[in-house]
Amino acid sequence: PRYGTVNKGIEGSTVTNVGEKKLRGDVGSHTARITAQVCDVTKPLYSVAQAVKAGFDVSLGEDGGGMRHRKTGRWYPFTKRNGMYEMTMSLNPGFTGQGYSA
């Protein structure tokens, strides 16, 4: 975990990492597992470099895109809204929100 590290937000604001959370939820018709760094943001960012490192090929187009897992072939779609690519994830029951775990 990167607890306590300070990063810059998109607008130059300070964002402090307060822990790590393992998320499991549905993206499209598939279940996804993501380890997220917890901080005080309303729209978390996902690193394309980390997705590639985790075994995904990422495709971005004018209207959207997505990422395909190289081993399973599963496709996780992105929509493009206001110049940003977004992935919607419905969290599975049992998720208790953001929290610190070392």
Side-chain angles (χ1 to χ4, degrees), residues 8-95:
K8 286 213 180 258
I10 293 175
E11 300 87 19
S13 58
T14 307
V15 179
T16 303
N17 183 309
V18 295
E20 189 173 272
K21 190 77 173 179
K22 296 191 183 301
L23 306 177
R24 193 174 98 187
D26 298 323
V27 178
S29 61
H30 304 295
T31 297
R33 290 176 178 84
I34 297 173
T35 301
Q37 300 306 309
V38 180
C39 52
D40 187 18
V41 296
T42 55
K43 287 197 172 192
L45 300 175
Y46 189 69
S47 166
V48 171
Q50 289 298 319
V52 170
K53 184 177 177 182
F56 289 90
D57 290 323
V58 179
S59 174
L60 303 174
E62 188 62 34
D63 297 321
M67 55 189 195
R68 182 175 311 282
H69 194 269
R70 288 189 289 275
K71 288 185 180 176
T72 66
R74 289 184 177 160
W75 176 254
Y76 299 89
F78 300 152
T79 55
K80 189 173 179 186
R81 191 181 350 247
N82 299 322
M84 297 286 291
Y85 294 92
E86 298 179 355
M87 180 176 71
T88 301
M89 182 177 190
S90 300
L91 297 175
N92 289 351
F95 177 70

